[in-house]
Amino acid sequence: MKIICVGMNYLAHTREITPIIGHTSSTVDTEGEEPVLFTKGDTPLRTGFPFFIPDFANRFDYEAEVVVRISRVGKYIAERFAHRYYKEVTIGIDFTARDLQQKLVAKGLPWTLAKTFDGSAALGDWMDKDALEYDLQELPFRLDIDNRTVQEGNTRDMIFSIDRLVSYASRFFMLKTGDMIFTGTPAGVGPVHIGQHLTGYLGEHRLLDLDIK
């Protein structure tokens, strides 16, 4: 099982995060650019399980994202056929050790330690994409902390669509049944703290519950 993640897929978040991590390379908001991909570890948290804040960094940020699960093996998938390769969708959280990421970026090093530590991917309950009241390319989602909305997004604001991401990722990775693609986070990321409760929604479907310990 692979967890493939997409960075900077919402323009507002790209503008938000650039000064935070000190990233100085060009953004991906221009036509003709390609998605930014990275991978996570294979130990995702399931809904109902807590996220224990590690001790190797001082700030851990939530990044809520729409996640799709691959349902069949594929390689070099044409974008027009990409929708055939996933059936289920959920909301997930890409936890990021932000201060560690800042240090790594400043040294020109990969983000691996800040992004792929155990439990850094949290997943809600899966649902059939055909059961959504919205087209998957017009899907609203949000993250609440202690019943207050902290992040809202809509897949129509993606720089690269879900089908484009599936197709692009398949150029580099053999996509297998059970693999997951985190499709990017909108603006509004921020730190989590012990004692908080996170809930994630696709439309009005509450799919994720997570305590911070």
Side-chain angles (χ1 to χ4, degrees):
M1 179 195 71
K2 296 185 291 296
I3 300 176
I4 300 169
C5 299
V6 182
M8 298 179 288
N9 198 27
Y10 290 81
L11 182 55
H13 171 65
T14 301
R15 292 169 173 165
E16 165 189 68
I17 203 65
T18 297
I20 294 176
I21 66 174
H23 189 49
T24 58
S25 66
S26 60
T27 60
V28 293
D29 60 338
T30 57
E31 187 175 353
E33 294 280 358
E34 295 181 328
V36 175
L37 301 184
F38 60 94
T39 60
K40 278 188 170 287
D42 59 357
T43 54
L45 294 172
R46 305 294 179 176
T47 188
F49 287 80
F51 174 72
F52 290 93
I53 295 179
D55 62 1
F56 55 77
N58 295 315
R59 172 174 167 168
F60 290 85
D61 281 8
Y62 57 82
E63 297 185 12
E65 313 191 11
V66 173
V67 186
V68 296
R69 182 157 62 178
I70 299 300
S71 58
R72 56 189 291 196
V73 175
K75 180 68 174 175
Y76 292 108
I77 301 166
E79 185 174 342
R80 66 182 183 278
F81 298 132
H83 65 280
R84 301 179 182 178
Y85 287 81
Y86 58 93
K87 296 180 179 178
E88 295 177 300
V89 62
T90 191
I91 186 167
I93 300 176
D94 166 16
F95 283 109
T96 303
R98 191 67 72 199
D99 54 327
L100 178 57
Q101 184 188 34
Q102 290 173 320
K103 293 177 183 178
L104 294 169
V105 170
K107 295 178 180 180
L109 298 174
W111 301 351
T112 305
L113 295 179
K115 284 284 191 178
T116 65
F117 56 90
D118 288 348
S120 62
L123 293 166
D125 293 325
W126 296 100
M127 66 179 297
D128 192 309
K129 66 180 182 180
D130 294 331
L132 291 167
E133 297 86 354
Y134 301 87
D135 183 278
L136 200 55
Q137 310 304 328
E138 295 277 342
L139 177 61
F141 61 99
R142 76 178 196 271
L143 178 70
D144 291 357
I145 296 183
D146 296 333
N147 297 314
R148 181 178 66 86
T149 298
V150 295
Q151 217 177 355
E152 290 185 278
N154 193 299
T155 55
R156 66 169 173 258
D157 297 322
M158 288 180 172
I159 298 171
F160 304 105
S161 70
I162 292 173
D163 288 351
R164 172 79 182 279
L165 296 174
V166 171
S167 175
Y168 183 77
S170 74
R171 292 171 55 190
F172 303 91
F173 307 101
M174 172 74 76
L175 297 183
K176 299 181 179 181
T177 302
D179 288 348
M180 290 165 276
I181 299 179
F182 279 62
T183 59
T185 195
V189 303
V192 294
H193 303 283
I194 293 174
Q196 291 179 326
H197 183 72
L198 280 59
T199 50
Y201 299 80
L202 294 184
E204 294 306 314
H205 298 276
R206 178 169 168 170
L207 301 179
L208 182 144
D209 281 275
L210 196 68
D211 289 316
I212 307 299
K213 298 288 189 177

